[in-house]
């Protein structure tokens, strides 16, 4: 027996068939959880975001806010991606004043990763920016690569990075600063532009 398409399952669910939602969740849960976990790298938090994502999906489906603009899984991943960004933004608000001051002029490259995606094209661009940044990081010394990944990809505070790497906060700040300066040099020398 041929399995029902995502579109049909969504339509059935919107007409009151709860089992259709179960099938949809079961079909995509592994891929969606893997996507979330890869970005967060924390199983408990990934579980929370995964649950929040499906809660939001349910609400949006019930409100008829699902647009047939592509595959269901891409739409679900975009919702998850936005929830992850919200989490990191909330975490960033807890940064001490001294850390915020440090970041004001050095933060622009990584702000690109934190922009909420409006559509699938934006999501693809964000993924490309992330890939380009990861490639550029390979040209940095290992200790600078580590602090950049922890700070801007994993969303750790400077204090958490200092604890994680057994460094002082000043050393952490210095490494992040030099890494960002070096990234700018790599971008200038190779005429790399990271924009949407």
């Amino acid at each position: 027996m041929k399995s029902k398409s995502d579109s049909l399952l969504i339509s059935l669910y919107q007409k009151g068939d709860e089992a259709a939602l179960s099938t949809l969740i079961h079909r995509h849960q592994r891929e969606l959880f893997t996507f979330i976990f890869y970005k967060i790298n924390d199983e408990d938090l990934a579980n929370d975001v995964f649950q929040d994502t499906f809660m939001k999906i349910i609400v949006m489906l019930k409100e008829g806010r699902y647009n047939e603009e592509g595959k269901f899984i891409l739409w679900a991943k975009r919702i998850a991606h936005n929830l992850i960004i919200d989490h990191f933004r909330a975490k960033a608000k807890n940064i001490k004043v001294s850390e915020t001051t440090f970041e004001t002029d050095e933060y622009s490259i990584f702000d690109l990763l934190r922009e909420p995606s409006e559509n699938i094209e934006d999501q693809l661009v964000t993924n490309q920016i992330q890939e380009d940044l990861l490639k550029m990081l390979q040209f940095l010394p290992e200790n600078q690569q580590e602090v950049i990944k922890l700070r801007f990809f994993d969303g750790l505070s400077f204090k958490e990075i200092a604890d994680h790497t057994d460094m002082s906060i000043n050393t952490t700040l210095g490494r992040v600063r030099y890494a960002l300066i070096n990234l700018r040099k790599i971008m200038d020398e190779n005429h790399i532009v990271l924009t949407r």
Side-chain angles (χ1 to χ4, degrees):
M1 190 177 102
K2 192 176 171 221
S3 63
K4 293 174 178 155
S5 70
D6 289 350
S7 301
L8 179 58
L9 288 170
I10 288 163
S11 176
L12 289 169
Y13 173 64
Q14 287 173 329
K15 289 172 186 164
D17 182 352
E18 296 290 330
L21 178 68
S22 256
T23 306
L24 196 64
I25 290 172
H26 184 72
R27 181 179 291 172
H28 295 292
Q29 64 185 5
R30 185 183 295 252
E31 186 178 349
L32 187 60
F33 182 81
T34 303
F35 169 81
I36 294 165
F37 181 75
Y38 176 76
K39 288 190 173 284
I40 294 177
N41 210 18
D42 176 319
E43 194 168 349
D44 291 337
L45 184 56
N47 272 314
D48 289 346
V49 172
F50 178 77
Q51 298 294 334
D52 289 347
T53 301
F54 268 106
M55 289 306 295
K56 194 156 189 180
I57 285 169
I58 289 166
V59 169
M60 290 177 83
L61 289 178
K62 285 198 172 188
E63 290 175 353
R65 286 163 58 206
Y66 174 71
N67 302 322
E68 195 63 64
E69 58 191 20
K71 286 186 173 181
F72 168 79
I73 189 62
L74 292 177
W75 181 70
K77 283 179 180 177
R78 196 168 75 248
I79 291 170
H81 177 76
N82 289 341
L83 287 170
I84 291 164
I85 288 169
D86 290 346
H87 165 76
F88 286 134
R89 281 207 176 117
K91 197 168 182 176
K93 282 179 184 169
N94 296 325
I95 295 170
K96 293 186 191 85
V97 175
S98 60
E99 292 172 1
T100 308
T101 310
F102 165 77
E103 286 183 320
T104 49
D105 64 335
E106 301 289 354
Y107 209 44
S108 57
I109 296 172
F110 294 92
D111 281 343
L112 291 165
L113 296 177
R114 303 230 190 303
E115 287 298 311
S117 301
E118 294 303 317
N119 54 39
I120 289 167
E121 287 77 17
D122 281 351
Q123 175 68 49
L124 292 171
V125 171
T126 299
N127 289 346
Q128 187 59 55
I129 289 167
Q130 201 161 1
E131 281 172 31
D132 291 345
L133 278 169
L134 285 169
K135 281 179 199 158
M136 290 189 330
L137 285 181
Q138 293 168 13
F139 295 99
L140 297 178
E142 209 168 293
N143 58 10
Q144 289 180 15
Q145 283 184 43
E146 182 183 29
V147 292
I148 288 291
K149 283 177 183 170
L150 291 170
R151 178 72 189 109
F152 297 104
F153 288 86
D154 297 342
L156 269 59
S157 71
F158 288 109
K159 183 176 184 328
E160 287 169 329
I161 296 169
D163 293 342
H164 181 77
T165 56
D166 287 326
M167 295 187 298
S168 71
I169 286 199
N170 284 342
T171 305
T172 304
L173 290 169
R175 279 197 188 159
V176 172
R177 185 171 183 78
Y178 285 121
L180 291 170
I181 290 166
N182 288 334
L183 280 174
R184 286 230 174 97
K185 278 185 196 160
I186 293 166
M187 287 172 70
D188 291 343
E189 286 165 10
N190 295 282
H191 309 292
I192 297 168
V193 181
L194 298 175
T195 54
R196 293 187 170 276

